[in-house]
Amino acid sequence: MNTGDWWKRQVESLPTNALLSAIEVYADATQLNDKASAHPIYLTSSNLPLAIKHNRKTKVLVGFVPKAFKTKRDFYHAAFTILLEPIKRYQLNGFKIWLGMELVHFVPRISCFPADMPE
C-alpha cells in the first residue's frame, strides 16, 4: 500500500511532522440466525506488515449495518457515514498520542474499502 501514488499524495498533504494512519474499512454479509443477517464493519491499519495484517487481533469491530430485505444502497451508505464520522473529524488535522516517551502526530485517512455492497 505504501508504494502507490495514493500513499504519496496523502503523505504530501499531511501537516508538518505528521504521520499517515491509513485505515482499511472492511464489510461483509454475515448470517446472524435463520432470519437475520448483517454487515459487520471492521477497521484495520494499512500501515501493518502483511505478515500480521490479516490476524484477527489487528481488526476492530466498529458496528453492524443491518441487512434488511430490499435494503437500499442509500441506507447502507448513510450507515457508513455515521460509523466513520470519528475518522472524518480528524482527517485534516489528525490527533496526537503518546508512543512510549514520544508524542506522535497521526492523521487518519481511509485507504481501502473492500465490501460486499448491496445491489
Side-chain angles (χ1 to χ4, degrees):
M1 178 67 72
N2 65 352
T3 59
D5 291 338
W6 177 88
W7 193 280
K8 183 179 177 186
R9 285 192 309 273
Q10 297 306 310
V11 169
E12 289 171 351
S13 72
L14 296 177
T16 305
N17 297 324
L19 299 174
L20 177 61
S21 176
I23 297 171
E24 292 182 22
V25 181
Y26 177 76
D28 197 7
T30 299
Q31 195 69 30
L32 301 175
N33 58 36
D34 291 343
K35 297 180 182 180
S37 62
H39 289 265
I41 312 303
Y42 294 96
L43 300 182
T44 189
S45 174
S46 298
N47 300 58
L48 296 172
L50 283 176
I52 64 169
K53 187 180 205 173
H54 299 293
N55 184 316
R56 65 186 173 114
K57 293 179 181 179
T58 65
K59 294 172 180 30
V60 176
L61 177 66
V62 293
F64 284 91
V65 175
K67 186 179 177 190
F69 182 71
K70 294 188 178 179
T71 298
K72 299 291 183 194
R73 187 174 291 193
D74 292 342
F75 171 77
Y76 194 74
H77 288 276
F80 274 101
T81 299
I82 293 166
L83 283 171
L84 300 176
E85 177 59 34
I87 295 170
K88 185 178 179 184
R89 199 173 340 162
Y90 292 103
Q91 70 183 357
L92 292 177
N93 298 318
F95 56 89
K96 294 181 181 180
I97 59 173
W98 286 97
L99 291 178
M101 299 295 290
E102 184 179 358
L103 186 61
V104 181
H105 185 185
F106 286 101
V107 178
R109 302 278 169 85
I110 303 293
S111 63
C112 184
F113 193 153
D116 181 11
M117 302 296 280
E119 298 297 323

